[in-house]
Amino acid sequence: MEVAAKAFQYIWENQERFLTAVQVHLTISVTALLVSLLVCIPLGIVCAKSQKIAATVMNSINTFRVIPSLAILVIILPILGTGFVPALVALILLACPPILINTYLGFRGIDPAVIEAASGMGMDERQILRKVEFPLAMPLVIAGGRTAAVEVIASATLAAFIGGGGLGTFIVNGLGMYNFPMLLVGAVPVAILAILSEVCFAGIERWVTRYQRD
Amino acid sequence: MANHSIVFDKVTKRFPKADKPSVNEVSLQIEEGSFVTILGASGCGKTTLLKMVNRIYEPTSGRIFVEGEDVATVPVTQLRRKIGYVIQQVGLFPHMTIEENIATVPRILGWDNKQIDERIDELLELVHLPPKDFRKRYPRQLSGGQQQRVGLARAMAGNPAIMLMDEPFGAIDAITRASLQDELIQIQRRLHKTILFVTHDIEEALKLGDKIVIMNNGEIQQYDTPFHIITQPANAFVSRLVHSEDVLKRLSVMKAESVMTEIEGTVHPNEIRVSKEENCKTILMHILKSEHDSVIVEDGNQTPVGRVTLAHLKIHEALSQSLSAS
Ligand SMILES: Nc1ncnc2c1ncn2[C@@H]1O[C@H](COP(=O)(O)OP(=O)(O)OP(=O)(O)O)[C@@H](O)[C@H]1O
Ligand SMILES: [Mg+2]
């Protein structure tokens, strides 16, 4: 209890610092997620339509995936230096695989008969994409986003190691100074953010799969 | 060519890497408003032939005309919007309600909402699915047969003059299938659509078709009325396919009209009455059950126009048998 009280006290006394950290954490996570979505959804669709591209992209993704997030941060360091941007790049790299793979699977999984019916009725490619393929692939795409979001929020903590700022700063400092309350100041809000993102995505997922329920 | 809805002119389709063409030099003229069934064993090219009409496949050589226009010169989407297409796997959009499914083509065509709304009700009534119950449901909440009906309604939504149907009743039990067939026949009578209907079920082909295309190895073996196919098969293949020794099957493709004679003598008040379109198999059943050896044939206005007797049926049956034997 004492630890929690001390943590609150720390936040009370360093309100501005705490809020900035939360803000940086959110900014870096949301930006990384948005960029990954914008890049990987179109790329995933292209892969789903072309087996050749798919083979290359999926293979490299799967190789890349085995590298742990901390290692990615460390590898980025000598290339891009320290600060917000290198941390952002690392997080984008982390968020891409689940989104890309799920988008690919989502579009590949559509019953070809449905597509044939759509084009047989005279829908052009854009109409098919917008009205048929997107809505049908959406549940999997969202699931990919959900995985990516949690991974990004958690890994953004590590960004502090390369000077990216955010809530991880408290954790790094707390660990360094054997200051347990300060460690909590970083860790608990990160956990809460991760849970919030889960809840948010679960809601979206329910909404895009409403046709699958009675 | 004015009253030919679809014309195939020496159409050949050879898929890349295939050693022989799937459809070989097919020439065929489909009259406007006729119901034509395409019959043949699996892999003989029925689907391929059908899919060239709405350009899902492009012919390797030859030309296809729809309503007088070479399909190769019409933009694909425009062509397809005026041809109803029912695929074997139904292919309803699982994320759309039944009404949204049916509204697809009318929306593309830019109809206004009120018009679309009325059209949905009209079509659901036509395929015997009460709109109140079914409009808001999703496809997975429907049985297979109900889904097929929606598929049919969806294909007819834009009011196309031509319908292409690829084994639309393939995966359905015999009873539901028979009733869907009856519905389709009635729809066709009422709306005079030109229908190309693929099936590998002989009974279905005979029952539905005004004319039947019999295919084998990508080539047409015979294109004729059910009656002629049964009584005068063009070659050994056709004759084997329809194995003409079945009396009831032969009777089932003869219409009352083609067998009846003038009414001589008085019409008994309890002599059973049938329509001109009735098939002779049903007539035989009526006669077997009734106290008379004959039935009275009526036209559309319930005016008696002829009579079919048991003796007539015997003569026609014997005749067609000897024709098919020769
Ligand atoms: N896309 C394709 N690529 C290569 N060959 C094909 C393709 N589609 C069909 N074929 C071949 O063309 C031939 C005719 O096929 P088609 O689908 O027209 O047969 P079908 O008469 O419809 O048979 P079924 O009753 O089984 O549906 C078959 O030998 C088939 O293997
Ligand atoms: Mg087929």
Side-chain angles (χ1 to χ4, degrees), chain A residues 38-48 53 57-58 61 100 103-104:
Chain A
L38 285 178
V39 173
C40 293
I41 292 180
L43 188 57
I45 296 173
V46 171
C47 288
I53 300 177
V57 174
M58 290 301 145
I61 283 277
L100 188 56
T103 305
Y104 171 75

Side-chain angles (χ1 to χ4, degrees), chain B residues 109-121:
Chain B
L109 296 176
W111 295 15
D112 63 50
N113 284 338
K114 188 166 163 286
Q115 208 181 352
I116 294 177
D117 214 49
E118 288 167 1
R119 184 75 180 145
I120 294 167
D121 280 341

Side-chain angles (χ1 to χ4, degrees), chain A residues 113 116 119 122-123 131 211-212, chain B residues 51 80-81 85 94-95 104:
Chain A
E116 191 187 322
S119 70
M123 284 185 164
K131 293 187 178 163
Y211 67 89
Q212 294 171 358
Chain B
K51 285 184 178 176
R80 289 175 182 168
R81 282 167 202 174
Y85 182 43
H95 61 297
T104 309

Side-chain angles (χ1 to χ4, degrees), chain A residues 147-185:
Chain A
T147 313
V150 171
E151 214 163 298
V152 163
I153 289 171
S155 303
T157 316
L158 302 173
F161 281 110
I162 59 170
L167 290 162
T169 319
F170 299 117
I171 299 178
V172 172
N173 291 343
L175 281 174
M177 301 189 289
Y178 294 108
N179 183 341
F180 195 56
M182 190 188 272
L183 204 136
L184 280 191
V185 169

Side-chain angles (χ1 to χ4, degrees), chain B residues 46-48 88 166-167 198:
Chain B
K46 308 182 292 291
T47 299
T48 308
Q88 180 172 4
D166 194 353
E167 305 198 30
V198 167

Side-chain angles (χ1 to χ4, degrees), chain A residues 111-124 127 131-133 135-136 210-214, chain B residues 51 54 56 77 80-81 83 85 87 89-96 104-105 107-108 138 140-141 154:
Chain A
D111 181 359
V114 170
I115 307 289
E116 191 187 322
S119 70
M121 279 190 282
M123 284 185 164
D124 59 37
Q127 286 169 324
K131 293 187 178 163
V132 181
E133 293 180 297
L136 288 176
R210 66 199 179 286
Y211 67 89
Q212 294 171 358
R213 287 184 300 270
D214 296 299
Chain B
K51 285 184 178 176
N54 63 356
I56 289 179
T77 50
R80 289 175 182 168
R81 282 167 202 174
I83 300 178
Y85 182 43
I87 60 174
Q89 309 87 333
V90 195
L92 294 183
F93 303 134
H95 61 297
M96 293 186 194
T104 309
V105 173
R107 277 204 208 294
I108 296 175
Y138 286 103
R140 54 173 285 277
Q141 298 164 326
R154 182 176 68 171

